Amino acid sequence: MENRKKVAFYTLGCKLNFSETSTIARNFNDEGFDRVDFEEIADIYVINTCSVTDNADKQFKQVVKKAMKLNEKAFVAAVGCYAQLKPEELAAVDGVDLVLGATEKFKITDYIHDLSKNDMGEVHSCEIAEADFYVGSYSIGDRTRAFLKVQDGCDYKCTYCTIPLARGISRSDALENVLKNAKEISAQNIREIVLTGVNIGDYGKGEFGNKKHEHTFLDLVQALDKVEGIERLRISSIEPNLLKNETIEFVSKSRTFVPHFHIPLQSGSNDILKLMKRRYLREVYTERVSKIREVMPHACIGVDVIVGFPGETDEHFLETYHFLNDLDISYLHVFTYSERDNTEAVDMEGVVPSNVRAKRSKMLRGLSVKKRRAFYESQLGTNRTVLFESENKEGYIHGFTENYVKVKTPWNPELVNTLQEINLTKIDEDGSVRIEFLNKLAEA
């Protein structure tokens, strides 16, 4: 039997990237490659890049270095958002042989003819306007949950964001294809599916490769709720203007959708929201949070926020801080604004010094810790269902409740990938929650 080539993958960035890496990995498998861990010696290393933060650029170079250390003769390919935005820059990194843009990454095996090293990375990247077809993907195999991609690209023109440049126009998977993928996932004993995309609330647009569509995000949610065998569905991140009351109502009564919403805010100041060209004002955000709390008081609500956007004065920042402090939310993801080429914000006045950005970021991270703690405390004494993960961390197994409370209990391999009824008892010193099992069998 011929010696099968080995391929390893490294994913930077978001859940969507993870789902796409999995799909690309399955393509390699179909072509006769064996997938190995990135820590192992491989013939090909594929790095799926991200362009959202400055750090992603630096990380890329470190990952290439790591691959070259493992096997200096290995063939290194870069795909993903950063590869679409700055292909020449990535191609110039020492050790990189191939750079593929947004449409080419799913045909990567077509571009790998021989595995000899190139002096300079070869670039194949389309004009982003050509990224108008949809490739469905989902990730499995690495977790007790799967990321299911339902939508790609974005038609919004937020002034800080390069995603439309990296991923193209908003387009969606056909509903029957999403349902087919969901069934395939649930057939593999995966308990939880996380819906992912660039702007998933825009689902339905571009379902036929053009702007017309017959389905909405609510249709998608309702159809998925009926799929047999799926035990938990989670909506990853959804814009406040696209999270409709009907969807919130539906989730509150749903069989499978869990009470957890992640809703980007970006700023609590209407002046800054306008500069960012966001499609809502803070009043809309308040309404969404109130609606969720009204029908699901125990829901977990996560918030994305950007600090240090050009023009953000101390007053604007304090407006954001107080707005979030007063809002009944559960945790924050804080992003420090970083300049991106070819965005409107790069040329805006009122640049915030980096030490001020860092200070504001620290304040909001502190607020997030406080919010999460308060949310966890509000859940103590309640009965929940936990999905346990597969890792033994220092003698403990961890998992998340349906409303995203992180719990821990002494390691027991029989709990891996199971759903257990539990009571939340107390907060541990590491911030996770200790539990008691309601079903005595689980303790045995």
Side-chain angles (χ1 to χ4, degrees), residues 131-380:
D132 57 0
F133 62 89
Y134 185 86
V135 177
S137 38
Y138 58 84
S139 75
I140 48 177
D142 43 356
R143 290 190 179 82
T144 43
R145 61 183 62 88
F147 298 129
L148 171 59
K149 174 179 160 187
V150 299
Q151 181 274 344
D152 201 350
C154 188
D155 293 341
Y156 287 10
K157 300 282 183 282
C158 301
T159 53
Y160 52 82
C161 185
T162 55
I163 297 291
L165 301 170
R167 283 187 171 271
I169 58 169
S170 177
R171 51 212 190 272
S172 305
D173 206 350
L175 187 59
E176 58 272 21
N177 199 43
V178 174
L179 297 175
K180 178 179 87 67
N181 284 342
K183 284 173 187 148
E184 280 177 22
I185 293 168
S186 67
Q188 303 194 37
N189 196 26
I190 286 170
R191 310 281 183 184
E192 180 173 308
I193 295 177
V194 183
L195 301 187
T196 177
V198 173
N199 186 356
I200 63 173
D202 209 22
Y203 177 80
K205 193 191 274 184
E207 210 178 337
F208 303 102
N210 54 23
K211 291 295 170 209
K212 72 179 187 39
H213 60 87
E214 54 188 52
H215 295 113
T216 62
F217 184 67
L218 180 61
D219 295 337
L220 172 75
V221 166
Q222 289 171 330
L224 279 166
D225 197 48
K226 296 190 183 107
V227 175
E228 286 298 313
I230 299 177
E231 296 181 71
R232 266 190 186 183
L233 281 155
R234 203 178 285 277
I235 298 167
S236 63
S237 177
I238 183 164
E239 294 284 305
N241 50 308
L242 295 173
L243 177 57
K244 302 288 188 248
N245 283 345
E246 299 82 33
T247 305
I248 296 171
E249 294 269 1
F250 182 78
V251 168
S252 74
K253 302 182 181 77
S254 153
R255 180 181 70 88
T256 52
F257 277 89
V258 295
H260 176 204
F261 295 88
H262 193 91
I263 315 166
L265 169 69
Q266 310 311 15
S267 174
S269 157
N270 283 341
D271 293 347
I272 300 297
L273 288 173
K274 286 172 189 165
L275 283 175
M276 289 175 164
K277 290 196 177 165
R278 301 291 286 157
R279 296 197 175 193
Y280 54 85
L281 295 174
R282 58 187 250 171
E283 290 71 17
V284 169
Y285 202 92
T286 309
E287 281 168 25
R288 293 297 174 268
V289 171
S290 308
K291 179 67 188 173
I292 292 168
R293 287 280 166 248
E294 179 199 319
V295 294
M296 286 170 274
H298 61 295
C300 181
I301 303 174
V303 184
D304 284 343
V305 61
I306 295 171
V307 296
F309 188 79
E312 184 186 64
T313 60
D314 285 344
E315 288 73 26
H316 289 132
F317 172 70
L318 286 172
E319 219 184 318
T320 295
Y321 187 91
H322 294 308
F323 178 69
L324 288 166
N325 193 32
D326 297 342
L327 208 56
D328 192 358
I329 50 139
S330 318
Y331 65 89
L332 304 172
H333 278 174
V334 184
F335 298 91
T336 305
Y337 170 74
S338 63
E339 282 76 4
R340 284 278 165 262
D341 291 347
N342 302 319
T343 58
E344 263 184 77
V346 155
D347 302 317
M348 287 182 180
E349 291 169 3
V351 172
V352 179
S354 55
N355 62 327
V356 177
R357 294 183 207 184
K359 187 178 149 201
R360 289 176 185 172
S361 173
K362 196 174 172 186
M363 280 177 72
L364 283 183
R365 286 175 209 272
L367 180 63
S368 180
V369 169
K370 193 179 100 174
K371 286 282 183 187
R372 194 184 294 267
R373 176 93 191 182
F375 174 62
Y376 280 10
E377 281 175 357
S378 76
Q379 296 303 301
L380 293 179

Side-chain angles (χ1 to χ4, degrees), residues 415-432:
L415 292 174
V416 170
N417 197 28
T418 64
L419 287 157
Q420 300 287 344
E421 304 293 316
I422 53 99
N423 180 273
L424 299 167
T425 57
K426 69 175 203 291
I427 301 176
D428 211 36
E429 50 271 19
D430 67 0
S432 52

Side-chain angles (χ1 to χ4, degrees), residues 82-93 96 99 120-125:
Y82 194 36
Q84 174 66 34
L85 291 173
K86 303 263 180 93
E88 310 300 336
E89 216 169 278
L90 291 195
V93 173
V96 174
V99 179
M120 174 80 183
E122 206 182 298
V123 173
H124 297 275
S125 93

